[in-house]
Amino acid sequence: MNLSDKARQQAESCRFCWMCRHVCPIGNADGQERNTARARALMVSLVCRGTEKLEDAASNIYECSLCGACTNNCKTGWDPKIFIQETKTEIVLEGKVPEEVAPVIERLGKTGSPFEGDDSHLYNKYNDGKTLLLIGKNAAIKDASSVVEALELLNKSCVDARLDERADDTGYAYYFLCGKTKETVEKAKESAAAIAKYEKVIVYNPVELSFILHQWREWGIELPLKVIAFHDALIELIENGKIAIEKSERRYALQDNYAYARELDDEKTARKIIDLCGKREEMLLIGKEANLGGNLIMAEYMPKTMALVAKNRWVNAENMGCKTLVCENPDEHVLLSENAPIGCRAITIEEMILENLK
Ligand code: SF4
Ligand code: SF4
């Protein structure tokens, strides 16, 4: 297998100490030993040595959500995401994509999205404004009503926000499904070119924001202007009086998204917004230790496991008496909503603001 020295070293340097065994949300959901960073490292290492076949490792590689909980907990300080993504590229180039994943990659190639569904109504309606709200394909197709709420909240607050389909295809779906391929980098470059014509760019999904800030930079794709996180735009509007909130008695707990908490080092902004809206509670496993609430691309090829991932997160919430989870990532919002216990709800951060407007 043709992995870079860095990726191979990351796979080989696992000490199998098993200190990260408890953190993989996929392993915790399906109870499979193979769904740990340690087992994935061992498998990739065996493929590199020629004792296992790449096709036998493929399904296990696609069971990783790239949430980085193992990276955060690894006592050796290595990052499994590096060899996992390079192995995915090898799997695609060698034509060894698992049968459950193949239709999703095929759809992505044909339609530009890993999901079935039409998002043209959104792009046709919100096509004018100086500020780009970059939502990404997951939100556009799977959580369109939240996107509409977000846009209307921004526009009521004089932001003049719009959507742009070309900018929205940041290359993230290609990256998640195929690693760094020619198509991934082309999509990223096209998105960067589309972004360049705006005065301001607000990024809705923290996973896309982290991808743009870290992966694009690593590939030498310059960001034409400063992009800001959606919750940073919201707090700015609240602080300068464009959004007027009245603090209520409602109780909210944050579903920390891994990209904000671990990759962008921001656990505070959403909590600050919650404190302005109501009473903040905390669930189990928060901040950098946060557990994944769901991944929509994976739900296309392993829906049962993704439902279990969301249900496990609800167990973390209910054990602390939390009934309303505030989400900042469309994947987690959709999957936590679909799997919410009776009497509990998952809402977006903009939905929380809207229910506490003055
Ligand atoms: S990145 Fe997340 S899903 Fe992947 S092995 Fe690590 S903990 Fe598990
Ligand atoms: S903590 Fe790090 S070194 Fe230890 S088993 Fe997990 S991935 Fe390997």
Side-chain angles (χ1 to χ4, degrees):
M1 184 161 58
N2 193 24
L3 295 191
S4 68
D5 289 346
K6 186 179 174 189
R8 194 178 285 244
Q9 190 202 353
Q10 297 288 315
E12 301 280 349
S13 61
C14 178
R15 292 186 303 181
F16 307 117
C17 68
W18 229 326
M19 296 299 282
C20 64
R21 188 186 189 190
H22 59 294
V23 302
C24 181
I26 314 303
N28 288 343
D30 69 8
Q32 299 284 323
E33 194 65 53
R34 70 187 207 147
N35 272 318
T36 56
R38 173 188 182 276
R40 284 188 237 283
L42 182 60
M43 195 62 173
V44 169
S45 177
L46 291 173
V47 175
C48 287
R49 289 166 203 207
T51 40
E52 285 287 348
K53 290 186 187 149
L54 181 59
E55 53 267 46
D56 294 334
S59 283
N60 188 224
I61 290 296
Y62 276 93
E63 285 166 339
C64 172
S65 69
L66 307 183
C67 74
C70 51
T71 316
N72 186 52
N73 276 271
C74 179
K75 305 305 168 205
T76 313
W78 65 290
D79 185 357
K81 301 195 299 305
I82 295 171
F83 71 76
I84 285 169
Q85 284 310 85
E86 283 200 23
T87 306
K88 264 185 201 167
T89 308
E90 284 296 301
I91 290 168
V92 171
L93 294 177
E94 295 285 324
K96 310 287 187 197
V97 175
E99 59 178 13
E100 66 277 16
V101 183
V104 186
I105 297 183
E106 201 179 308
R107 195 181 304 134
L108 178 64
K110 276 190 192 152
T111 69
S113 165
F115 311 111
E116 277 174 10
D118 181 19
D119 50 15
S120 56
H121 59 288
L122 273 182
Y123 295 107
N124 291 340
K125 185 166 178 196
Y126 298 98
N127 60 7
D128 191 26
K130 290 188 176 128
T131 297
L132 171 66
L133 180 67
L134 192 148
I135 53 173
K137 283 293 175 187
N138 295 20
I141 293 185
K142 305 298 274 188
D143 204 9
S145 56
S146 296
V147 169
V148 170
E149 276 185 344
L151 276 163
E152 294 191 348
L153 180 61
L154 291 174
N155 287 340
K156 263 190 228 154
S157 320
C158 316
V159 173
D160 193 23
R162 62 162 289 172
L163 305 178
D164 184 328
E165 192 167 10
R166 282 186 55 227
D168 264 341
D169 195 353
T170 59
Y172 182 75
Y174 267 102
Y175 177 67
F176 188 85
L177 287 163
C178 308
K180 185 190 173 192
T181 62
K182 196 165 129 277
E183 288 84 356
T184 315
V185 178
E186 269 168 18
K187 294 283 173 198
K189 284 183 178 163
E190 283 166 22
S191 174
I195 284 174
K197 65 181 190 215
Y198 295 98
E199 286 178 5
K200 191 172 178 182
V201 177
I202 299 170
V203 184
Y204 185 66
N205 182 346
V207 173
E208 299 269 2
L209 179 62
S210 174
F211 177 67
I212 287 172
L213 293 178
H214 299 136
Q215 222 59 56
W216 282 17
R217 190 168 295 157
E218 197 181 309
W219 299 339
I221 301 169
E222 288 297 323
L223 261 175
L225 72 167
K226 190 170 178 279
V227 296
I228 64 166
F230 182 55
H231 67 197
D232 286 332
L234 292 175
I235 199 91
E236 195 182 311
L237 291 167
I238 294 167
E239 285 174 351
N240 66 22
K242 298 257 172 59
I243 295 177
I245 289 175
E246 191 159 48
K247 190 173 168 73
S248 72
E249 292 297 308
R250 294 185 186 95
R251 295 176 175 275
Y252 302 104
L254 181 66
Q255 162 57 25
D256 279 286
N257 178 255
Y258 65 87
Y260 271 144
R262 289 197 271 270
E263 297 169 10
L264 299 163
D265 199 21
D266 182 2
E267 303 164 28
K268 291 190 180 147
T269 308
R271 287 185 167 78
K272 205 166 160 189
I273 299 175
I274 290 177
D275 288 341
L276 292 166
C277 287
K279 294 196 168 170
R280 173 157 57 92
E281 299 175 325
E282 295 290 1
M283 65 197 297
L284 290 173
L285 297 171
I286 59 169
K288 289 201 172 13
E289 303 298 323
N291 247 8
L292 182 76
N295 177 304
L296 284 168
I297 297 180
M298 290 171 79
E300 291 293 306
Y301 58 82
M302 42 191 289
K304 286 187 187 151
T305 307
M306 273 304 116
L308 288 172
V309 164
K311 284 178 182 155
N312 273 354
R313 199 55 177 139
W314 274 115
V315 171
N316 295 158
E318 284 196 296
N319 280 343
M320 297 300 282
C322 304
K323 292 189 177 302
T324 300
L325 293 186
V326 176
C327 304
E328 299 197 87
N329 164 261
D331 297 44
E332 293 181 323
H333 175 235
V334 170
L335 289 160
L336 288 169
S337 294
E338 284 174 5
N339 293 286
I342 293 168
C344 295
R345 61 186 184 138
I347 63 172
T348 61
I349 195 158
E350 59 273 21
E351 208 175 336
M352 175 184 68
I353 289 174
L354 286 165
E355 66 187 22
N356 291 290
L357 284 181
K358 239 182 206 163

